[in-house]
Amino acid sequence: MTIKVLSVASEVVPLVKTGGLADVAGALPAAVAPHDVEMTTFLPGYPAVIKALARPRALHTWDSLLGEKARLLGGKIDGHPLLVLDAPAYFQRDGGPYSDSEGRDWDDNWRRFAAFGRAAADIAGGAVKSRKFDLVHAHDWQAAMALAYLRFASPDGARPVPSVMTIHNMAFQGFCGADKFAALGLPPHAWSLDGVEYHGGVGFLKAGLEAASAITTVSPTYAREIRTPEFGMGLEGLIVSRGERVSGIVNGIDTGQWNPERDSALPAHFSLKSLPKRQANKRALESEFGLEPGDGPLFVVISRLTWQKGIDVLLECIDHLVGLGGRLALLGSGDKAMENAFHAAAMRHPGRIGVRIGYDEALSHRMQGGGDAILVPSRFEPCGLTQLYGLAYGCVPVVARTGGLADTVIDANLAAVMGGVATGVQFNRVTYPSLVDAISRTFTLYWQQDIWRGIQRAGMKTDFSWGRSGKAYADLYARLIAEV
Ligand code: ADP
Ligand code: GLC
């Protein structure tokens, strides 16, 4: 029998994206479909989302969704069912999904995403006659309150709905003060240590983790790391207490969007068998970034510019990279001081460092298709997708040994190189000496072109599809439904 899952996410490609969560939420319906799971995605009605809906049908209305009018619209996304929360007071605004055009978080994010969670719980509870669901899958703090509402505020006698809470990033948890509790419309007993209360306020992710039938995160290593204070961000005790209910399922990539043999963003297509064709992409990328053409390695970075991503340490290592004859093309945005520091580095090293501040999907494809190595020096990385795209495109990942980076890249140590299984370079601590060492190692490997080609090929042969992980989610759903 087909399992019907409501996937609740605050961003989904191709409609709205600030990070990897959108890629994953966008890819999941197709990943689980072969395993007899029909996944419906539920998304807030930001302006771009409403605009993309062709002839939307209203399936349900709320006169007061935490105090505001709202409608539920139905549509399709990449051929899969889509539900959109059209609530203009919450979501019809300029700017990003979580912040205004200046990058400041909206003050009422707690209310916007509590309302989103409340609506998700209503839908999962059967509010829309034509849409019934067997399970709710909530992603990150923006969706987490759905599980708290299901647990504490379902109608009397409602059948329990099993749920999965996926942590894409423990660093973002969602919180509001105790004074907001009354506005959430939860019963008084929800305010408890194993309920929504967290450090004297309401913890959104915390509430979801307490309520979920099962918790997943996006790599096995991160699932272990978040049991410790260094990575658990205050929730390590809760994670440990949920024991066997916590597991790690590594992300795949959408090979329809990311395939160097067919990618329309690339000047030259290539495959495992025609790697020399990448050279044309490298030349095009050099000219796009105003870099001197050369034989030395061209490093790329495609990243949010934040502390998580270790960008501050990378900045310290730039002179070393250039000193060895390397060049760097960076695409990213985020921390203003980091953005300025990259502009300054580009001025200091004209022709060697190229910088694009902003967000550009097509350019990110060209960089993976033309760069020699992608640097991902993250301090923590629940899964990470850019190293997976790098593997698929022969752009060798140079990564910190943490989270999903540790799980998806095989370090080019002597044994791995001799065995033909090395796919990248890993380093242990995100510090100046370790990153400098990793960059130096990358140069040594690069200049031994036979070895380098072997690393590229082994990466491109890696199974980074959704196959195994799609099955893992489907198996988990089936187990949880059987428990009810
Ligand atoms: P995170 O979600 O923590 O930012 P991931 O590696 O999981 O990290 O996902 C980041 C996603 O966003 C990838 O698809 C990456 O290619 C994309 N990305 C990040 N920054 C940019 C940018 N400036 N322009 C285009 N794509 C970007
Ligand atoms: C988060 C994490 C990233 C992960 C992505 C998708 O944004 O920071 O590591 O790949 O979610 O799961």
Side-chain angles (χ1 to χ4, degrees):
M1 216 185 59
T2 304
I3 294 180
K4 297 199 172 201
V5 173
L6 181 67
S7 169
V8 186
S10 57
E11 48 184 278
V12 178
V13 288
L15 296 177
V16 48
K17 166 166 167 179
T18 71
L21 163 63
D23 296 84
V24 174
L28 265 185
V32 294
H35 310 289
D36 219 5
V37 176
E38 184 191 81
M39 180 171 276
T40 298
T41 303
F42 181 45
L43 188 64
Y46 313 113
V49 175
I50 301 285
K51 228 161 95 199
L53 286 177
R55 282 179 288 118
R57 282 193 308 130
L59 301 171
H60 185 71
T61 54
W62 288 265
D63 289 334
S64 169
L65 182 66
L66 302 192
E68 305 290 350
K69 281 196 188 324
R71 297 191 301 165
L72 184 69
L73 304 179
K76 290 258 175 203
I77 182 165
D78 289 339
H80 299 278
L82 174 71
L83 292 174
V84 170
L85 181 61
D86 180 23
Y90 296 127
F91 299 117
Q92 266 302 329
R93 0 179 135 169
D94 295 336
Y98 320 121
S99 51
D100 63 19
S101 334
E102 309 288 296
R104 280 179 306 245
D105 279 355
W106 303 109
D107 286 343
D108 60 347
N109 274 344
W110 64 276
R111 194 160 165 260
R112 301 171 75 222
F113 292 103
F116 181 51
R118 174 71 265 182
D122 288 347
I123 299 163
V128 186
K129 293 253 166 341
S130 57
R131 309 288 171 110
K132 297 289 180 219
F133 295 98
D134 304 306
L135 183 138
V136 179
H137 187 164
H139 300 273
D140 275 352
W141 74 266
Q142 295 91 336
M145 287 303 279
L147 309 192
Y149 284 110
L150 277 173
R151 176 179 173 200
F152 292 112
S154 287
D156 285 342
R159 91 198 140 87
V161 184
S163 57
V164 175
M165 178 80 237
T166 294
I167 305 164
H168 293 267
N169 196 335
M170 202 60 139
F172 304 105
Q173 300 187 356
F175 182 82
C176 64
D179 56 321
K180 309 287 192 313
F181 178 72
L184 295 176
L186 284 162
H189 69 273
W191 182 269
S192 66
L193 269 186
D194 70 348
V196 307
E197 193 273 333
Y198 189 55
H199 293 297
V202 175
F204 282 35
L205 181 60
K206 185 262 183 182
L209 295 174
E210 291 279 10
S213 320
I215 296 168
T216 67
T217 185
V218 285
S219 69
T221 294
Y222 194 60
R224 282 193 300 278
E225 288 172 339
I226 54 175
R227 300 168 64 86
T228 65
E230 192 185 348
F231 296 93
M233 312 266 168
L235 289 171
E236 57 277 6
L238 168 48
I239 293 295
V240 170
S241 77
R242 300 279 344 244
E244 298 286 297
R245 294 265 146 183
V246 185
S247 63
I249 300 177
V250 76
N251 291 331
I253 66 174
D254 182 339
T255 46
Q257 304 249 356
W258 291 92
N259 178 347
E261 292 179 54
R262 287 200 291 269
D263 190 332
S264 58
L266 294 184
H269 292 156
F270 60 94
S271 73
L272 199 63
K273 298 207 183 75
S274 56
L275 272 174
K277 291 193 183 156
R278 287 186 96 255
Q279 195 66 7
N281 293 330
K282 181 168 173 178
R283 291 285 101 91
L285 196 61
E286 287 163 347
S287 96
E288 190 166 0
F289 274 90
L291 299 173
E292 294 160 5
D295 291 335
L298 173 57
F299 290 85
V300 299
V301 173
I302 303 158
S303 185
R304 291 188 284 118
L305 303 180
T306 64
W307 185 86
Q308 171 191 344
K309 302 290 180 181
I311 299 298
D312 48 326
V313 179
L314 174 63
L315 276 161
E316 292 171 20
C317 297
I318 280 185
D319 294 353
H320 177 79
L321 187 154
V322 171
L324 290 176
R327 286 150 307 143
L328 173 73
L330 172 129
L331 168 64
S333 63
D335 185 289
K336 293 289 170 250
M338 290 181 189
E339 294 181 359
N340 293 337
F342 275 110
H343 281 311
M347 304 274 280
R348 222 169 46 242
H349 299 292
R352 315 308 300 264
I353 305 287
V355 174
R356 286 282 178 291
I357 299 301
Y359 191 92
D360 188 335
E361 190 74 29
L363 177 57
S364 77
H365 286 239
R366 293 196 291 278
M367 292 170 78
Q368 298 279 14
D372 293 303
I374 178 157
L375 288 165
V376 194
S378 306
R379 289 191 167 88
F380 64 94
E381 196 61 77
C383 179
L385 295 174
T386 58
Q387 86 281 11
L388 299 179
Y389 301 142
L391 289 172
Y393 278 56
C395 185
V396 173
V398 178
V399 304
R401 189 173 285 126
T402 186
L405 302 174
D407 292 343
T408 57
V409 175
I410 300 175
D411 179 57
N413 57 46
L414 192 55
V417 169
M418 299 306 280
V421 295
T423 60
V425 173
Q426 286 192 341
F427 57 97
N428 258 333
R429 275 183 311 280
V430 183
T431 58
Y432 173 79
S434 339
L435 182 51
V436 155
D437 183 57
I439 290 170
S440 303
R441 269 209 306 136
T442 307
F443 274 88
T444 308
L445 293 163
Y446 178 84
W447 288 121
Q448 304 172 73
Q449 277 288 308
D450 285 352
I451 291 182
W452 189 258
R453 286 259 182 272
I455 296 174
Q456 285 179 301
R457 286 205 188 92
M460 292 175 82
K461 280 191 217 153
T462 307
D463 179 10
F464 30 68
S465 72
W466 269 102
R468 215 178 312 151
S469 298
K471 169 112 178 32
Y473 279 114
D475 288 348
L476 176 64
Y477 301 152
R479 269 203 312 280
L480 297 174
I481 290 166
E483 272 177 10
V484 180

